[in-house]
Amino acid sequence: MVVQVIIGLVFLYLTYRGIRRVSHHISSVVQERTDGDLFQYLKGNYLDCSKAKVLFNWQEPAEVGSTVSFKVKFYYCNMVPYSIRKEDNVMTQISVGTSQNVPFVEEYVTDGDDVDCLQVSFTVRVSATYYISLQRNGVHLAGSPFKKIFQPGPLSPAHTRLVRCGHVATTSLTVTQGQSHVIKIDARDEYNNDCSPNLHKKHFDEAFKFRLYRTMHPDLAVAYVWEIANNKGNKRLEFELTVFENGYFKALLDYRGQPLKHGSFSVISLTDNEAAEVKTNMSKRNLYYECRLLRRESPQDMKTANTCTDVQHDGSNQSWKSGKDNTDGPKSRKTSSISKNHKKVYCYITPRQLIIKEYLMLLIPIRIASFRVSPSTEICLEANNEEVMTINDGTQPQIMLSCPRRNVLLATFHSILYGNAGCSNSFEEKVENFYKELLAHHQITNADIRNRPKIALKISRTDLLNTTMQSTRSFSSADWRKYFQITFKGEEGIDWGGLNKEWNFLLCQELFSCPTDECELFQRFKSDPQALTLPSPTSQSGMKLKHFDLAGKLVGKCLFESALGGQHKRQVSARFARSFLAQLIGMPVSYAHFESDDPSLYTSKILYTLKSDDVEELEMTFTEEVYQKHSNVPKVHDLMYNGSKTLVTNSNKKRYLNLMAQFRLCTSIKPEIDAFVKGLTSIVPDHLLSVFDENELELVMCGSSEISADDMKKHCTTSYEDPYFTKVRFSFCDAVN
């Protein structure tokens, strides 16, 4: 009897606790949804997010390129339409893939039932999977997150290009007679999305057109076959070409009547013996060909960078840019009869340079000119003569030569240039090959990296530049490749990597963040801290060339440290001018560099001069005024012989602007640039740098300056955050992104 009573009491107690817990839960739910009104709760007059409906205004699969929107209709629990308000704290997030957020616009609009609903609009430019998340108070709406796929648009000829290696477009293609050669086609839509997977065979047969023709006789047929197919393995377009004749030809590939980007290119078809010769040339150290020197012009005499012309597909004249060519052959090789009266010279080719020499009395070599083996060196092939070529890099006198083995020489150049780039298929592969070749140049192995020698440096924070100069003034190139163990004077600490990084960062700021009272090594054309920097003339800055040598060695050391990888990686804390970076890799300087280096001058003078219908009214001459430091009296420099007496006209205004750029960006600071390059190349060989263009070189040296909003959002912590602040924080990250 007692046991039964106890069991009954326990049952009543548990029932009471359960009813109380259910009552408390119902009370909290009623309080949250209807502000405590139980009657309204029982009628279902409260917002129920699980009954919300999302209406998308596009059909799938949709293409990129338009602004799309969707509406979200909300309902009470009893399915009566609910007018949504901003105070309801509905949070929207649209992301591409798993990271990048997409900006969007929210509006509260009235639909046909006179009920306010949420309308979200966003513009689609990236072809990918979009994830649309809709939440209220941390709870997803019905069906959220939504997964929507947007496909790339139709192929755009202006954005689609032929690719030979990495980011280098195919301007000259070398093939072997009778053998097929494949080139990748980087198919892109108007917004630069990869559209290769969406192209089918009907696009290849109906839309692509290809023509191969002779330079001297464009109407004379050439025996060749071609095909464009979609590689099922990597889902990429490939252009396959087989030429059954040897010689030099021009090619044009277009899509629906519009030429592709870099779709006009040269084709050099070699015989089997010539192809074998080119392959052998790659391993030769003393590679040369006998030529005849036809003409040598100075840059001041050139109206354009290229003076040789080829016949274009429509019969017009066009200058064809190509890389340098190389061949070897005996000195007894005969030359064409049209050039026997011209000086005999020899064209030597190395992995770094193309050198033109002549021999006095067949014994004494005299160097006529040398050009870097880099994409900046151009060789124009004469259309009316199968032996004539013009070599030009835009900064020194161009050379016109006649060479009987011109095509083999040109093919060898492209092979060397392609090999210098590591036969890379992307920028990342190009950087990886650069690091690999840099370590191989210094014979660094994995064991050497693990057991890297160290040098202790004691540096003063208050006199960072001078104490660094004093500590490293006797260092050899091998010493600069060692690990610098930094100790700051008056401070206790052991350098486990942090002090070295801090020294590297502070020294970069001291050298490149211009100007300060102590250091004016680099200058900006405007006072904006984000402006690009380039060397200051030592005559005005008071600095010495040894400071530029130190700056170059510091940059070279950062590149070498990055090649070691891991915790050794270092980057240069600077933003260099494009003209300065171009000169580091041997590329010419032109007035176009002012657009990034000095935007105010480009807008006020360069564009005005180019667009002016009558430049003579401005009464400008081929001179440049230079103001010395602490002096209001300018010094006038002639940009050419008798420049002060030569007026700028419509016919020579581009020449004037190029000469002005050459003086401002190159000639006036040439000793400083030479000293910087000397320090840089003491650690990093110049031929390794020449595989990059100026934009790629900045990425390798300085890294990317982009702010990752996703990383910021991922590592953001707050002590308290309500739904409205969460929405503001996500909107802020979207705006930054």
Side-chain angles (χ1 to χ4, degrees), residues 616-651:
E616 295 184 27
E617 293 181 354
L618 303 178
E619 297 182 353
M620 294 188 299
T621 58
F622 279 71
T623 57
E624 181 69 10
E625 293 183 350
V626 178
Y627 288 86
Q628 300 294 330
K629 190 175 182 180
H630 307 304
S631 175
N632 294 326
V633 180
K635 183 178 180 181
V636 179
H637 289 266
D638 281 359
L639 299 178
M640 56 178 290
Y641 180 72
N642 277 338
S644 58
K645 299 179 182 179
T646 306
L647 288 176
V648 178
T649 63
N650 288 335
S651 61

Side-chain angles (χ1 to χ4, degrees), residues 286-289 326-327 331 346-350 353-357 359:
N286 191 24
L287 181 63
Y288 67 91
Y289 258 96
N326 306 288
T327 48
K331 293 184 179 181
Y346 297 92
C347 182
Y348 287 81
I349 180 67
T350 71
Q353 289 183 312
L354 182 106
I355 306 170
I356 312 299
K357 293 182 180 180
Y359 285 84

Side-chain angles (χ1 to χ4, degrees), residues 698-736:
E698 184 187 39
L699 285 176
V700 176
M701 289 169 44
C702 310
S704 174
S705 59
E706 294 182 358
I707 299 175
S708 174
D710 298 320
D711 188 65
M712 182 191 305
K713 183 170 58 178
K714 181 179 178 181
H715 295 91
C716 175
T717 57
T718 55
S719 57
Y720 172 75
E721 190 170 302
D722 58 22
Y724 180 73
F725 181 76
T726 300
K727 189 173 182 178
V728 172
R729 180 165 62 85
F730 275 88
S731 298
F732 169 76
C733 291
D734 291 340
V736 173

Side-chain angles (χ1 to χ4, degrees), residues 270-287:
L270 305 176
T271 63
D272 292 337
N273 292 336
E274 290 174 333
E277 182 181 350
V278 171
K279 187 176 181 180
T280 304
N281 289 344
M282 297 293 295
S283 60
K284 288 189 175 181
R285 294 180 176 271
N286 191 24
L287 181 63

Side-chain angles (χ1 to χ4, degrees), residues 496-512:
W496 290 97
L499 294 179
N500 182 283
K501 289 183 179 179
E502 185 181 10
W503 167 79
N504 182 84
F505 174 76
L506 294 176
L507 186 58
C508 284
Q509 284 201 323
E510 185 85 11
L511 291 170
F512 308 124

Side-chain angles (χ1 to χ4, degrees), residues 71-214:
K71 287 183 179 180
V72 186
K73 293 185 177 183
F74 295 85
Y75 295 89
Y76 289 100
C77 183
N78 57 13
M79 292 306 296
V80 175
Y82 174 87
S83 289
I84 193 68
R85 299 164 296 174
K86 184 177 181 181
E87 293 76 14
D88 289 318
N89 293 325
V90 176
M91 189 174 70
T92 305
Q93 183 179 4
I94 305 175
S95 60
V96 177
T98 58
S99 58
Q100 182 181 353
N101 290 324
V102 178
F104 58 87
V105 176
E106 288 184 341
E107 299 177 284
Y108 295 91
V109 298
T110 304
D111 65 359
D113 299 328
D114 293 331
V115 177
D116 291 340
C117 60
L118 176 63
Q119 179 173 287
V120 180
S121 304
F122 62 98
T123 302
V124 182
R125 293 290 184 265
V126 179
S127 170
T129 300
Y130 286 66
Y131 294 90
I132 302 174
S133 173
L134 299 168
Q135 299 182 54
R136 181 177 182 267
N137 296 332
V139 179
H140 281 280
L141 273 62
S144 174
F146 299 92
K147 181 179 177 181
K148 298 295 178 181
I149 299 175
F150 288 89
Q151 295 183 345
L155 185 145
S156 170
H159 297 83
T160 299
R161 62 174 185 170
L162 300 179
V163 179
R164 181 186 179 192
C165 64
H167 299 308
V168 181
T170 302
T171 56
S172 186
L173 175 66
T174 302
V175 300
T176 303
Q177 178 182 347
Q179 297 182 15
S180 63
H181 190 92
V182 177
I183 312 176
K184 295 179 181 178
I185 300 180
D186 188 15
R188 299 283 170 172
D189 65 6
E190 183 181 357
Y191 305 101
N192 208 35
N193 295 297
D194 182 11
C195 60
S196 298
N198 289 1
L199 296 177
H200 304 288
K201 195 174 188 309
K202 64 178 182 179
H203 297 96
F204 313 149
D205 296 338
E206 299 173 3
F208 281 103
K209 301 297 179 184
F210 177 73
R211 182 189 171 200
L212 187 70
Y213 53 95
R214 305 175 191 275

Side-chain angles (χ1 to χ4, degrees), residues 6 49 82 143 179 194 208 221 272 294 299 330 343 345 360 386 457 462 468 508 579 618 645 658 679 713:
I6 294 174
C49 292
Y82 174 87
Q179 297 182 15
D194 182 11
F208 281 103
D272 292 337
L294 304 183
K343 182 185 297 184
V345 295
L360 291 181
E386 296 181 352
L457 297 184
T462 58
T468 301
C508 284
S579 59
L618 303 178
K645 299 179 182 179
N658 277 327
K713 183 170 58 178

